[in-house]
Amino acid sequence: MKELEERIRRDGIIKDGGVLKVDAFLNHQCDVELFDAMGAEWAQRFKGVPVNKILTIEASGIGIACVAARHFGNVPVVFAKKAQSINLDGEQYATSIYSFTKQREFPVIVGKRFLGPNDHVLILDDFLANGKALEGLLEICELAGAQVQGIGIAIEKAFQGGGDRLRARGYRVESLARVGSMDAGAGTIEFLPA
Amino acid sequence: MKELEERIRRDGIIKDGGVLKVDAFLNHQCDVELFDAMGAEWAQRFKGVPVNKILTIEASGIGIACVAARHFGNVPVVFAKKAQSINLDGEQYATSIYSFTKQREFPVIVGKRFLGPNDHVLILDDFLANGKALEGLLEICELAGAQVQGIGIAIEKAFQGGGDRLRARGYRVESLARVGSMDAGAGTIEFLPA
């Protein structure tokens, strides 16, 4: 998606260690007009795919998913919650996700009332790097018996391999911008076809 | 806002201790069509008020704010982040908010690049109870020199007094549903004019 790639080039900040900061428009300050265009693009790519629920994870995925939902007939958006601890009261699907940024596991939950075998789920998120967060969401869908119809990502850091691992497992992953390489020193970024 | 009150009566769950669970449509599963109607209602109430930025706080406020922004000319949405610790690197406005739910203080930050003296801010959030979260957001606006034009709330638990305290300080608070009283045993809820 040209518009997103241009925005990353203009307002993204490349840092050492493969870090791409896009907090000016994606995950701290939110450009809702861009989110709307992203939603339209995903809707076009997933045209004809039955989707009755969008699943994302707090916090950065929520705004993107809620704006994009309009392009999927206003289906409900469910966001997985990062919990302090897993309270196995039987009312929640739970898993834990390893965060490389925070260097620790954190529990993630979804209320059982909000995901089940009748759901055809589109998973949306802002970033796909090593894929740990998505693997957690996929596990929750599996626990719920929900069918994952596809995965829509704003920015895939393709050089970290998570996207290709998910594609190899048979999932359809539609990333709107795929970063092939970045150079913090030179301030350059190369995109792969997306 | 009748639509929201009816939805609370239908899908809200009243619990002991003044707890109102609305995770079926507001803050875990999100009814984006309702969010859109809420955005239209706030836009009507704040008609003529200059707003060039919407400020909210993660996680539940984000979806509401991003959908509502469309009714305010697609202004940028900034969400305050709950941080593990306050890193006073000079790049962030920081405060701490006491959570009665979690019974502890947690630090909240907003990047200095995203809020400043030229900003006319509408603060949006899902709940207003004792008002601690909003006081934190107001403090961040003060640190930034931004002008708070108003506060839009989905559900105000008026019996907890936070809304009236903010009104007494001169802020315009527009709550779409104002709960006057709830009874967990009887399962009843009374709304005040909103």
Side-chain angles (χ1 to χ4, degrees):
Chain A
M1 187 185 175
K2 271 279 160 279
E3 186 182 348
L4 181 58
E5 291 179 4
E6 282 165 14
R7 191 61 179 275
I8 295 167
R9 282 193 202 281
R10 197 185 83 191
D11 293 329
I13 298 169
I14 303 160
K15 299 216 165 195
D16 285 327
V19 174
L20 175 60
K21 275 189 79 169
V22 288
D23 54 0
F25 57 95
L26 202 71
N27 52 19
H28 184 11
Q29 181 165 255
C30 305
D31 181 337
V32 293
E33 216 160 1
L34 176 65
F35 288 10
D36 195 57
M38 286 161 46
E41 175 77 18
W42 280 316
Q44 200 186 329
R45 294 190 187 195
F46 288 106
K47 200 173 177 174
V49 176
V51 170
N52 72 338
K53 199 157 279 183
I54 291 173
L55 177 66
T56 188
I57 182 166
E58 70 174 32
S60 315
I62 301 174
I64 295 168
C66 283
V67 171
R70 196 160 73 89
H71 298 277
F72 290 87
N74 281 327
V75 295
V77 171
V78 174
F79 61 88
K81 293 184 166 197
K82 294 173 182 171
Q84 294 299 314
S85 57
I86 293 183
N87 173 9
L88 288 171
D89 59 4
E91 292 180 2
Q92 295 162 339
Y93 302 114
T95 186
S96 73
I97 292 177
Y98 183 78
S99 164
F100 284 93
T101 317
K102 293 175 181 165
Q103 298 206 329
R104 63 178 182 90
E105 298 249 337
F106 57 91
V108 168
I109 56 169
V110 169
K112 286 189 178 175
R113 291 183 294 150
F114 308 129
L115 202 62
N118 294 324
D119 284 325
H120 296 260
V121 175
L122 174 66
I123 297 177
L124 294 182
D125 207 0
D126 58 339
F127 264 101
L128 167 53
N130 51 68
K132 293 295 175 199
L134 282 169
E135 281 171 18
L137 294 180
L138 290 167
E139 193 190 332
I140 281 176
C141 287
E142 202 172 316
L143 291 169
Q147 196 171 334
V148 176
Q149 295 287 352
I151 299 169
I153 299 294
I155 303 174
E156 177 182 342
K157 293 200 282 185
F159 57 90
Q160 288 185 245
D164 285 341
R165 276 192 293 278
L166 291 169
R167 291 181 186 98
R169 284 173 61 187
Y171 291 105
R172 180 168 169 196
V173 182
E174 293 287 349
S175 304
L176 304 183
R178 298 183 71 218
V179 180
S181 63
M182 308 190 301
D183 186 321
T188 53
I189 185 164
E190 299 299 327
F191 293 101
L192 303 176
Chain B
M1 188 185 174
K2 271 279 159 281
E3 186 183 348
L4 181 58
E5 291 179 4
E6 282 165 13
R7 191 60 178 276
I8 295 167
R9 282 193 203 279
R10 199 186 82 193
D11 292 332
I13 298 168
I14 302 161
K15 299 217 164 193
D16 285 326
V19 173
L20 175 61
K21 274 189 80 169
V22 289
D23 55 0
F25 57 96
L26 202 71
N27 51 20
H28 184 12
Q29 181 165 253
C30 306
D31 181 337
V32 292
E33 216 159 1
L34 176 64
F35 289 9
D36 196 56
M38 287 161 46
E41 175 76 18
W42 280 316
Q44 200 187 328
R45 295 191 186 194
F46 288 107
K47 200 172 177 174
V49 176
V51 170
N52 73 337
K53 198 158 280 183
I54 291 173
L55 178 67
T56 187
I57 182 167
E58 71 175 33
S60 315
I62 301 173
I64 295 168
C66 283
V67 171
R70 196 160 73 88
H71 297 278
F72 290 86
N74 281 326
V75 295
V77 171
V78 174
F79 61 88
K81 294 184 165 195
K82 295 173 182 169
Q84 293 300 314
S85 57
I86 293 184
N87 173 9
L88 288 171
D89 58 4
E91 292 179 1
Q92 296 163 338
Y93 301 113
T95 187
S96 74
I97 292 176
Y98 183 78
S99 165
F100 285 93
T101 316
K102 293 176 180 164
Q103 298 206 330
R104 64 176 181 90
E105 298 248 337
F106 57 91
V108 168
I109 55 168
V110 169
K112 287 190 178 174
R113 291 182 294 149
F114 307 129
L115 201 61
N118 295 324
D119 283 326
H120 295 260
V121 175
L122 175 66
I123 298 178
L124 294 181
D125 207 0
D126 58 340
F127 264 102
L128 166 53
N130 51 69
K132 293 296 176 198
L134 283 170
E135 282 170 18
L137 294 180
L138 290 168
E139 192 190 332
I140 281 176
C141 287
E142 202 172 316
L143 291 169
Q147 195 172 334
V148 176
Q149 295 287 352
I151 299 169
I153 299 295
I155 303 175
E156 177 182 342
K157 295 200 282 185
F159 57 89
Q160 288 186 246
D164 285 340
R165 275 193 292 278
L166 291 169
R167 291 182 186 99
R169 285 174 59 187
Y171 291 105
R172 180 167 170 197
V173 182
E174 292 287 349
S175 304
L176 304 184
R178 298 184 70 218
V179 181
S181 63
M182 309 190 301
D183 186 322
T188 53
I189 184 163
E190 298 299 329
F191 293 101
L192 303 177

Coordinates of all heavy atoms in Angstrom, one line a residue, chain B residues 23 58 107 140 146 155 159 181 188:
Chain B
D23 N -18.7 -5.2 29.0 CA -17.7 -5.7 28.1 C -18.3 -6.4 26.8 O -17.6 -6.7 25.9 CB -16.7 -6.7 28.8 CG -17.5 -7.8 29.5 OD1 -18.7 -7.8 29.5 OD2 -16.8 -8.6 30.1
E58 N -5.3 4.4 27.0 CA -5.4 3.0 26.7 C -6.1 2.3 27.9 O -5.9 2.7 29.0 CB -4.1 2.4 26.3 CG -3.1 2.2 27.4 CD -1.8 1.5 27.0 OE1 -1.4 1.6 25.9 OE2 -1.3 0.8 27.9
P107 N 1.9 4.7 36.2 CA 2.4 5.9 35.4 C 1.7 5.9 34.1 O 1.4 4.9 33.5 CB 3.9 5.6 35.3 CG 4.2 4.3 35.9 CD 2.9 3.7 36.3
I140 N -1.8 16.2 32.2 CA -0.9 16.1 31.1 C -1.2 17.2 30.1 O -0.3 17.8 29.5 CB -1.1 14.7 30.4 CG1 -0.2 13.7 31.2 CG2 -0.6 14.7 29.0 CD1 -0.3 12.3 30.8
A146 N -1.8 22.6 26.5 CA -2.9 22.4 25.6 C -4.2 22.9 26.3 O -4.3 22.8 27.5 CB -3.0 21.0 25.2
I155 N -20.1 6.4 29.7 CA -20.9 6.1 30.8 C -20.3 6.8 32.1 O -19.2 6.5 32.5 CB -21.0 4.6 31.1 CG1 -21.5 3.9 29.9 CG2 -21.9 4.3 32.3 CD1 -21.5 2.4 30.0
F159 N -23.1 8.6 40.7 CA -23.1 8.4 42.2 C -21.7 8.3 42.8 O -21.5 8.4 44.0 CB -23.9 7.1 42.5 CG -23.4 5.9 41.9 CD1 -22.4 5.1 42.5 CD2 -23.9 5.4 40.7 CE1 -21.9 3.9 41.9 CE2 -23.4 4.3 40.1 CZ -22.4 3.5 40.7
S181 N -28.1 5.4 40.0 CA -28.0 4.4 41.0 C -28.2 3.0 40.4 O -28.7 2.9 39.3 CB -29.1 4.5 42.1 OG -30.4 4.4 41.5
T188 N -31.4 -3.7 38.9 CA -32.0 -2.5 38.4 C -30.9 -1.4 38.3 O -30.0 -1.3 39.0 CB -33.1 -2.0 39.3 OG1 -32.6 -1.9 40.6 CG2 -34.3 -2.9 39.2

